[in-house]
Amino acid sequence: MLEEGLLTLHGIVQHYDWGGHNFIPGLLGINNPDNKPFAELWIGAHAKAPSLVDVAGYQVPLDQLIAEAPGAILGQAANARFAGRLPYLFKILDVRKMLSIQAHPTLAQAKEGFARENAEGIPVEASSRNYKDDNHKPEIGVALTEFWMLHGFRPLDQIAESFTGTPELNSLMPGFPQRLAAAGHDHAARRGLLRELYSSVMTLPQEQVDLLLNSLLSRLRAKPITDKDCADYWAVRAAENFPLPGGHLDRGIFSVYLLNLVHLHPGQATFQPAGVLHAYLEGVNVELMANSDNVLRGGLTTKHVDVPELLKILTFEGGTPEVFEGVTGGQERVYRTPAEEFELTRISLTPRSRYAGEAAYGPKALLVLQGSATLTAAGKQTLLNCGSIAFAPCGTQFVAEAGADDLVVFQAGLPRHARGAP
């Protein structure tokens, strides 16, 4: 069934209620008169929503195609290393409403959790399920528009400063600034204090959560806040976006003050390894991650929250997250991370210019974000317009020629170090 050269893919849209109405429909050339939420475009072979491949006049799920010829598509090394599965999942996200406070497990935690929940007889599709698969989910996100997110616990000194000036926060753990000062530079003591603080937030009785947050929000709402670089803005917005039944308030609002508020500009990126608490707040980005859908949530969601499991996988380190812009060389900007499952590259071409590429270390997926291009591989030409997706099996050499306008392509593939290359 596998054809030589490039394959044409069709991504799968996820219509989660937090999604935007315009960016993904515009990218795909779809009218959306009813403002249906288009939250995520998935490009990959995850069993939940595999992309469709044009093959001999039919559309075949990508995971099925890979299962039929894993060595030919993944390459022998990647096929052996990743057990016959495409190791990455490529996405476009349009965040209109805040996403949940969340973290992802390590590979060992995912394998253990998946096996445990299977043994307990919890259906994979059950809403109470924590582990949807047996893989970890490190991920990189590159902003396509201005983008706001929460990323990792703030430096503890900054948290202590916020507590000193905000009585509702200080009530979460009275004496936190003094206890932090007493811990000094003892790394273990500081980690333990942060763990104790967040555990207290996540297990606080709901009536106390309501009391503290009602007091905080009443004060904040007395004067309109429009500055998106201010945690208070997102606290108010979180309360509006995530009301709980019975007039209760979501304890996830406290995390807005405990985590770093990051404002990304187009082209800037962050990497989210296992155990790092984070949340996307607003904007459009490109995401590339290991092929998993495992998420443990800590609030600001209508989905399942398992506090003991979340606390078990979190990394309790305070610090400032790295914001990076990739390494530019010629027509490429490469966003390198420690992950061995993926590497994201932005390819930029001027009109009528050419780019020569090869899927040397495993298969590549190419998504056209701007302009159009003609891709040539194995003597065949494929025209790609804005929103088109091409898939190059391992070993495929191709040439992209830009059309009459500037061309921007995001490319997902495996990094050189995935197979021990220099």
Side-chain angles (χ1 to χ4, degrees):
M1 183 181 291
L2 182 63
E3 298 177 356
E4 189 177 2
L6 294 168
L7 303 173
T8 299
L9 287 192
H10 303 277
I12 303 300
V13 174
Q14 304 286 5
H15 297 282
Y16 307 136
D17 62 2
W18 50 261
H21 304 139
N22 302 314
F23 189 90
I24 293 176
L27 178 66
L28 300 178
I30 298 173
N31 291 323
N32 188 25
D34 299 325
N35 280 336
K36 186 176 183 179
F38 280 64
E40 299 184 357
L41 175 66
W42 283 32
I43 303 166
H46 194 281
K48 177 180 175 180
S51 297
L52 300 176
V53 190
D54 289 342
V55 179
Y58 297 92
Q59 289 191 341
V60 180
L62 181 57
D63 58 341
Q64 177 183 322
L65 194 67
I66 292 173
E68 293 175 358
I73 295 177
L74 302 178
Q76 294 303 323
N79 179 37
R81 175 65 187 87
F82 301 110
R85 293 187 289 186
L86 184 69
Y88 57 78
L89 180 58
F90 192 19
K91 296 181 182 180
I92 299 291
L93 272 68
D94 184 1
V95 181
R96 178 178 55 90
K97 293 170 57 179
M98 303 167 66
L99 273 67
S100 60
I101 308 291
Q102 61 185 255
H104 310 300
T106 64
L107 184 57
Q109 289 166 342
K111 288 181 179 297
E112 187 278 328
F114 185 69
R116 170 167 35 91
E117 293 187 337
N118 282 346
E120 292 170 355
I122 304 173
V124 173
E125 66 276 6
S127 60
S128 60
R129 181 99 187 195
N130 289 316
Y131 297 95
K132 307 290 186 179
D133 51 63
D134 62 355
N135 203 8
H136 63 165
K137 193 172 178 275
E139 60 191 18
I140 181 176
V142 178
L144 296 178
T145 66
E146 283 194 276
F147 196 90
W148 285 267
M149 67 180 299
L150 302 173
H151 188 292
F153 289 107
R154 298 171 66 192
L156 269 68
D157 293 330
Q158 291 184 15
I159 294 177
E161 185 178 341
S162 294
F163 276 36
T164 300
T166 310
E168 296 87 359
L169 298 179
N170 194 51
S171 296
L172 294 173
M173 183 186 284
F176 177 80
Q178 293 77 15
R179 293 181 61 185
L180 178 60
H185 298 291
D186 186 328
H187 186 65
R190 293 171 73 91
R191 287 186 62 200
L193 188 59
L194 183 55
R195 175 187 287 274
E196 183 183 346
L197 169 62
Y198 189 69
S199 300
S200 175
V201 169
M202 295 305 294
T203 56
L204 201 65
Q206 185 62 49
E207 57 268 23
Q208 193 170 350
V209 170
D210 293 341
L211 181 66
L212 295 177
L213 287 178
N214 272 316
S215 173
L216 174 65
L217 292 167
S218 294
R219 189 159 46 76
L220 296 181
R221 286 168 171 156
K223 183 178 180 180
I225 304 167
T226 59
D227 182 5
K228 294 182 181 180
D229 293 327
C230 174
D232 292 341
Y233 172 89
W234 297 103
V236 173
R237 186 155 157 183
E240 294 170 349
N241 286 352
F242 297 98
L244 296 181
H248 296 301
L249 293 165
D250 194 313
R251 68 187 65 236
I253 296 170
F254 289 124
S255 291
V256 173
Y257 296 96
L258 300 180
L259 305 181
N260 292 286
L261 176 57
V262 181
H263 179 183
L264 299 176
H265 296 276
Q268 293 184 321
T270 59
F271 176 66
Q272 288 75 248
V276 172
L277 208 57
H278 61 281
Y280 290 164
L281 304 178
E282 181 182 286
V284 181
N285 75 347
V286 175
E287 242 192 356
L288 186 58
M289 64 197 66
N291 187 18
S292 174
D293 196 34
N294 283 327
V295 179
L296 279 297
R297 299 175 178 85
L300 304 186
T301 181
T302 57
K303 296 182 179 179
H304 179 58
V305 175
D306 185 332
V307 173
E309 195 69 20
L310 176 66
L311 294 175
K312 188 166 71 174
I313 71 150
L314 283 184
T315 300
F316 290 97
E317 298 281 357
T320 302
E322 178 188 7
V323 174
F324 57 104
E325 300 189 9
V327 177
T328 301
Q331 299 164 311
E332 294 183 338
R333 182 188 295 185
V334 183
Y335 293 90
R336 296 192 174 94
T337 74
E340 65 173 325
E341 291 90 351
F342 58 81
E343 186 168 270
L344 184 63
T345 302
R346 184 184 189 273
I347 301 167
S348 303
L349 300 185
T350 55
R352 308 301 180 191
S353 62
R354 292 188 171 196
Y355 169 87
E358 180 181 6
Y361 307 109
K364 290 184 173 180
L366 298 98
L367 170 63
V368 179
L369 260 291
Q370 178 184 326
S372 62
T374 300
L375 266 66
T376 303
K380 296 187 297 185
Q381 290 189 333
T382 304
L383 177 63
L384 299 182
N385 295 310
C386 187
S388 295
I389 308 163
F391 187 77
C394 185
T396 303
Q397 296 180 330
F398 59 91
V399 174
E401 181 176 354
D405 301 308
D406 289 341
L407 176 69
V408 175
V409 174
F410 273 90
Q411 173 184 271
L414 273 69
R416 293 175 64 89
H417 63 74
R419 67 175 214 177

